Amino acid sequence: MTEAQATPRTGKRVLLAKPRGYCAGVDRAVQTVEEALKLYGAPIYVRKQIVHNKHVVQTLEAKGAIFVEENEEVPEGATVIFSAHGVAPEVYEQARERSLRAIDATCPLVTKVHQEAKRFAAEDYDILLIGHEGHEEVIGTAGEAPAHIQLVDGPDGVDKVTVRDPNKVVWLSQTTLSVDETLETVARLKTRLPLLQSPPSDDICYATSNRQHVVKEIAPECDVVIVVGSRNSSNSVRLVEVALDAGARAGHLVDFAHEIQDEWLTGADTVGVTSGASVPDELVQDVLAHLAERGFTGVEEITTANERLTFSLPQELKRDMKAAASARG
């Protein structure tokens, strides 16, 4: 047996999750800011963090993006990009009032949930939105039909639900939740509301589901799972929870490799590594290098799905890029 073959079983090893990192919606959102900076020049204003990742935000700031909380902070007539998490209709209205050139980088899978909310509200349903209170995506979706939507923040929020007509009620969800916890919430809702309808297709996005699935695969073998991601990233936080629920003995969330504490690795033979959907892979490579310096040199990539989905850039940006190209030509 070669040393390489022996390493996964006897030496310190890393189980590297795949898929991990950037999803199609994040890739599109980050690319939207980069292309807007090239096309219109700095500064480009971005309402909220374009994606929930500290490194990505810092990198785009260095290129000339200015991140703001609200449209009022954007000079009249300037360009503003709305983040991947989506916004309520009133945000578009505010942008129009300030004559802002608005580019919508909302993930198409979040837009799908917005469309569902509008459709069910138009049919006068009560909509139970499963999600985390205060999360930007929840605020945006709820803003589509505030009179019809009530938030259910996990299984413990079920008892607070009241509906007008138990025959006309549907659940939708934030796209970045724990799959298992959402199923538990829905099961509890259905004990109270047996006629509760489900969304036409799953609201939790493919990338969130896939990243949780591979973590469940590797967690039982891991002494510790390190998730690369920011604390305000819902899907990254969920990955730590999923790892612990699936049998990892410890789990930690870090933005950067230098945040890994040596005591986490004391006595560990197997370390799992993954990253949230808004994390560039260079940060994962930094973590692998950090672990290799501490003896974790055998890396085994565990793959449970191959992701090929891509999303095209926002229409308003593509139109202006095409016009600029024609002008140059």
Side-chain angles (χ1 to χ4, degrees), residues 159-180:
D159 293 341
K160 304 187 191 84
V161 168
T162 56
V163 298
R164 293 167 302 157
D165 179 357
N167 297 303
K168 287 197 78 171
V169 58
V170 64
W171 69 270
L172 303 177
S173 85
Q174 184 181 328
T175 62
T176 54
L177 299 179
S178 156
V179 174
D180 291 342

Side-chain angles (χ1 to χ4, degrees), residues 107-329:
C107 172
L109 298 177
V110 174
T111 301
K112 175 182 84 75
V113 182
H114 282 229
Q115 300 298 347
E116 289 169 354
K118 287 193 281 193
R119 181 162 71 80
F120 283 111
E123 294 171 12
D124 202 30
Y125 274 76
D126 279 345
I127 301 166
L128 307 180
L129 177 61
I130 301 171
H132 296 301
E133 190 165 5
H135 191 280
E136 284 156 44
E137 187 187 322
V138 163
I139 293 167
T141 302
E144 293 287 3
H148 289 264
I149 291 177
Q150 56 187 302
L151 181 66
V152 183
D153 196 341
D156 294 340
V158 169
D159 293 341
K160 304 187 191 84
V161 168
T162 56
V163 298
R164 293 167 302 157
D165 179 357
N167 297 303
K168 287 197 78 171
V169 58
V170 64
W171 69 270
L172 303 177
S173 85
Q174 184 181 328
T175 62
T176 54
L177 299 179
S178 156
V179 174
D180 291 342
E181 186 178 290
T182 303
L183 291 174
E184 185 188 339
T185 305
V186 172
R188 284 205 199 179
L189 284 169
K190 284 187 171 172
T191 60
R192 290 195 60 202
L193 299 161
L195 298 176
L196 177 69
Q197 292 189 38
S198 299
S201 60
D202 198 349
D203 284 346
I204 294 179
C205 91
Y206 76 97
T208 299
S209 300
N210 287 347
R211 279 149 194 68
Q212 290 177 18
H213 180 66
V214 67
V215 164
K216 283 185 192 175
E217 288 287 313
I218 66 171
E221 293 186 54
C222 294
D223 298 300
V224 58
V225 171
I226 292 168
V227 177
V228 186
S230 294
R231 302 209 168 274
N232 63 337
S233 163
S234 175
N235 76 87
S236 299
V237 172
R238 299 291 83 72
L239 285 171
V240 178
E241 295 170 358
V242 167
L244 293 170
D245 287 346
R249 281 160 291 294
H252 301 281
L253 183 66
V254 299
D255 264 297
F256 304 105
H258 66 77
E259 296 172 8
I260 297 170
Q261 297 176 26
D262 283 343
E263 55 261 36
W264 297 349
L265 307 175
T266 304
D269 291 318
T270 302
V271 176
V273 174
T274 189
S275 57
S278 46
V279 178
D281 208 52
E282 66 195 86
L283 299 184
V284 175
Q285 298 307 318
D286 291 345
V287 166
L288 295 178
H290 181 96
L291 292 171
E293 287 168 8
R294 284 149 184 82
F296 292 87
T297 50
V299 178
E300 189 182 339
E301 192 168 61
I302 308 297
T303 305
T304 56
N306 287 302
E307 295 177 350
R308 295 188 179 85
L309 186 65
T310 57
F311 294 130
S312 63
L313 291 170
Q315 289 297 330
E316 51 277 59
L317 179 60
K318 284 204 302 191
R319 185 184 61 234
D320 288 356
M321 287 168 71
K322 193 173 176 183
S326 296
R328 284 197 304 271

